[in-house]
PDB file of all heavy atoms in Angstrom:
ATOM      1  N   TRP A  61      45.578  53.400  -7.590  1.00 94.00           N
ATOM      2  CA  TRP A  61      44.881  54.277  -6.707  1.00 94.00           C
ATOM      3  C   TRP A  61      45.572  54.231  -5.245  1.00 94.00           C
ATOM      4  O   TRP A  61      45.472  53.313  -4.538  1.00 94.00           O
ATOM      5  CB  TRP A  61      43.471  53.865  -6.483  1.00 94.00           C
ATOM      6  CG  TRP A  61      42.604  54.737  -5.554  1.00 94.00           C
ATOM      7  CD1 TRP A  61      42.397  56.110  -5.793  1.00 94.00           C
ATOM      8  CD2 TRP A  61      42.119  54.462  -4.243  1.00 94.00           C
ATOM      9  NE1 TRP A  61      41.743  56.597  -4.670  1.00 94.00           N
ATOM     10  CE2 TRP A  61      41.596  55.490  -3.767  1.00 94.00           C
ATOM     11  CE3 TRP A  61      42.238  53.279  -3.332  1.00 94.00           C
ATOM     12  CZ2 TRP A  61      40.953  55.579  -2.456  1.00 94.00           C
ATOM     13  CZ3 TRP A  61      41.647  53.297  -2.188  1.00 94.00           C
ATOM     14  CH2 TRP A  61      41.065  54.658  -1.647  1.00 94.00           C
ATOM     15  N   CYS A 125      40.936  49.916  -2.440  1.00 94.00           N
ATOM     16  CA  CYS A 125      41.428  49.575  -3.885  1.00 94.00           C
ATOM     17  C   CYS A 125      40.655  48.301  -4.303  1.00 94.00           C
ATOM     18  O   CYS A 125      41.017  47.305  -3.787  1.00 94.00           O
ATOM     19  CB  CYS A 125      42.912  49.440  -3.934  1.00 94.00           C
ATOM     20  SG  CYS A 125      43.531  48.864  -5.583  1.00 94.00           S
ATOM     21  N   SER A 126      39.798  48.373  -5.307  1.00 95.00           N
ATOM     22  CA  SER A 126      38.900  47.401  -5.754  1.00 95.00           C
ATOM     23  C   SER A 126      39.699  46.120  -6.134  1.00 95.00           C
ATOM     24  O   SER A 126      39.343  44.891  -5.698  1.00 95.00           O
ATOM     25  CB  SER A 126      38.087  47.756  -6.931  1.00 95.00           C
ATOM     26  OG  SER A 126      37.195  48.698  -6.501  1.00 95.00           O
ATOM     27  N   GLY A 147      37.700  51.511   0.468  1.00 94.00           N
ATOM     28  CA  GLY A 147      38.108  52.134  -0.936  1.00 94.00           C
ATOM     29  C   GLY A 147      37.915  51.040  -1.921  1.00 94.00           C
ATOM     30  O   GLY A 147      38.830  50.896  -2.763  1.00 94.00           O
ATOM     31  N   GLY A 148      36.891  50.340  -1.972  1.00 94.00           N
ATOM     32  CA  GLY A 148      36.612  49.393  -2.998  1.00 94.00           C
ATOM     33  C   GLY A 148      35.274  49.813  -3.752  1.00 94.00           C
ATOM     34  O   GLY A 148      34.127  49.475  -3.077  1.00 94.00           O
ATOM     35  N   SER A 149      35.380  50.257  -4.900  1.00 93.00           N
ATOM     36  CA  SER A 149      34.131  50.698  -5.570  1.00 93.00           C
ATOM     37  C   SER A 149      33.599  49.666  -6.607  1.00 93.00           C
ATOM     38  O   SER A 149      32.500  49.882  -7.180  1.00 93.00           O
ATOM     39  CB  SER A 149      34.282  52.083  -6.175  1.00 93.00           C
ATOM     40  OG  SER A 149      35.289  51.957  -7.253  1.00 93.00           O
ATOM     41  N   HIS A 166      32.646  52.316   1.141  1.00 93.00           N
ATOM     42  CA  HIS A 166      32.683  52.988  -0.092  1.00 93.00           C
ATOM     43  C   HIS A 166      31.588  52.604  -1.126  1.00 93.00           C
ATOM     44  O   HIS A 166      31.414  51.449  -1.127  1.00 93.00           O
ATOM     45  CB  HIS A 166      34.022  52.605  -0.960  1.00 93.00           C
ATOM     46  CG  HIS A 166      34.469  53.505  -2.001  1.00 93.00           C
ATOM     47  ND1 HIS A 166      33.625  53.790  -3.168  1.00 93.00           N
ATOM     48  CD2 HIS A 166      35.570  54.293  -2.169  1.00 93.00           C
ATOM     49  CE1 HIS A 166      34.357  54.680  -3.947  1.00 93.00           C
ATOM     50  NE2 HIS A 166      35.404  54.983  -3.326  1.00 93.00           N
ATOM     51  N   LEU A 197      36.446  46.270 -12.117  1.00 93.00           N
ATOM     52  CA  LEU A 197      35.838  47.335 -11.503  1.00 93.00           C
ATOM     53  C   LEU A 197      35.176  48.310 -12.529  1.00 93.00           C
ATOM     54  O   LEU A 197      33.930  48.582 -12.463  1.00 93.00           O
ATOM     55  CB  LEU A 197      36.886  48.166 -10.649  1.00 93.00           C
ATOM     56  CG  LEU A 197      36.876  49.631 -10.593  1.00 93.00           C
ATOM     57  CD1 LEU A 197      35.752  50.018  -9.705  1.00 93.00           C
ATOM     58  CD2 LEU A 197      38.236  49.961 -10.012  1.00 93.00           C
ATOM     59  N   TYR A 246      41.362  54.594 -13.517  1.00 95.00           N
ATOM     60  CA  TYR A 246      42.090  55.201 -12.351  1.00 95.00           C
ATOM     61  C   TYR A 246      42.754  56.482 -12.686  1.00 95.00           C
ATOM     62  O   TYR A 246      42.934  56.766 -13.880  1.00 95.00           O
ATOM     63  CB  TYR A 246      43.003  54.130 -11.769  1.00 95.00           C
ATOM     64  CG  TYR A 246      42.416  52.985 -10.925  1.00 95.00           C
ATOM     65  CD1 TYR A 246      42.646  51.682 -11.226  1.00 95.00           C
ATOM     66  CD2 TYR A 246      41.814  53.419  -9.733  1.00 95.00           C
ATOM     67  CE1 TYR A 246      42.069  50.742 -10.478  1.00 95.00           C
ATOM     68  CE2 TYR A 246      41.282  52.240  -8.905  1.00 95.00           C
ATOM     69  CZ  TYR A 246      41.434  51.008  -9.295  1.00 95.00           C
ATOM     70  OH  TYR A 246      40.880  50.101  -8.521  1.00 95.00           O
ATOM     71  N   TRP A 274      36.113  60.826  -7.844  1.00 92.00           N
ATOM     72  CA  TRP A 274      36.863  60.619  -6.612  1.00 92.00           C
ATOM     73  C   TRP A 274      38.306  60.790  -6.645  1.00 92.00           C
ATOM     74  O   TRP A 274      38.951  60.548  -5.761  1.00 92.00           O
ATOM     75  CB  TRP A 274      36.540  59.271  -5.979  1.00 92.00           C
ATOM     76  CG  TRP A 274      36.354  57.981  -6.843  1.00 92.00           C
ATOM     77  CD1 TRP A 274      35.226  57.372  -6.987  1.00 92.00           C
ATOM     78  CD2 TRP A 274      37.323  57.238  -7.353  1.00 92.00           C
ATOM     79  NE1 TRP A 274      35.401  56.293  -7.729  1.00 92.00           N
ATOM     80  CE2 TRP A 274      36.701  56.050  -8.114  1.00 92.00           C
ATOM     81  CE3 TRP A 274      38.679  57.364  -7.560  1.00 92.00           C
ATOM     82  CZ2 TRP A 274      37.276  55.175  -8.745  1.00 92.00           C
ATOM     83  CZ3 TRP A 274      39.477  56.335  -8.143  1.00 92.00           C
ATOM     84  CH2 TRP A 274      38.715  55.213  -8.809  1.00 92.00           C
ATOM     85  N   GLU A 346      38.415  60.083   0.072  1.00 95.00           N
ATOM     86  CA  GLU A 346      37.796  58.821   0.648  1.00 95.00           C
ATOM     87  C   GLU A 346      38.100  58.779   2.137  1.00 95.00           C
ATOM     88  O   GLU A 346      37.650  57.783   2.908  1.00 95.00           O
ATOM     89  CB  GLU A 346      38.446  57.653  -0.070  1.00 95.00           C
ATOM     90  CG  GLU A 346      37.825  57.400  -1.353  1.00 95.00           C
ATOM     91  CD  GLU A 346      38.709  58.171  -2.478  1.00 95.00           C
ATOM     92  OE1 GLU A 346      39.582  58.907  -2.027  1.00 95.00           O
ATOM     93  OE2 GLU A 346      38.453  57.963  -3.668  1.00 95.00           O
TER      94      GLU A 346
HETATM   95  N1  ABU B  27      37.407  55.903  -4.621  1.00 74.62           N
HETATM   96  C1  ABU B  27      38.536  55.090  -4.897  1.00 74.62           C
HETATM   97  C2  ABU B  27      38.037  53.681  -5.341  1.00 74.62           C
HETATM   98  C3  ABU B  27      39.214  52.872  -5.708  1.00 74.62           C
HETATM   99  C4  ABU B  27      38.818  51.557  -6.238  1.00 74.62           C
HETATM  100  O1  ABU B  27      37.551  51.195  -6.201  1.00 74.62           O
HETATM  101  O2  ABU B  27      39.861  50.922  -6.485  1.00 74.62           O
END
Side-chain angles (χ1 to χ4, degrees):
W61 182 67
C125 167
S126 290
S149 63
H166 197 299
L197 142 73
Y246 279 120
W274 38 252
E346 290 87 353

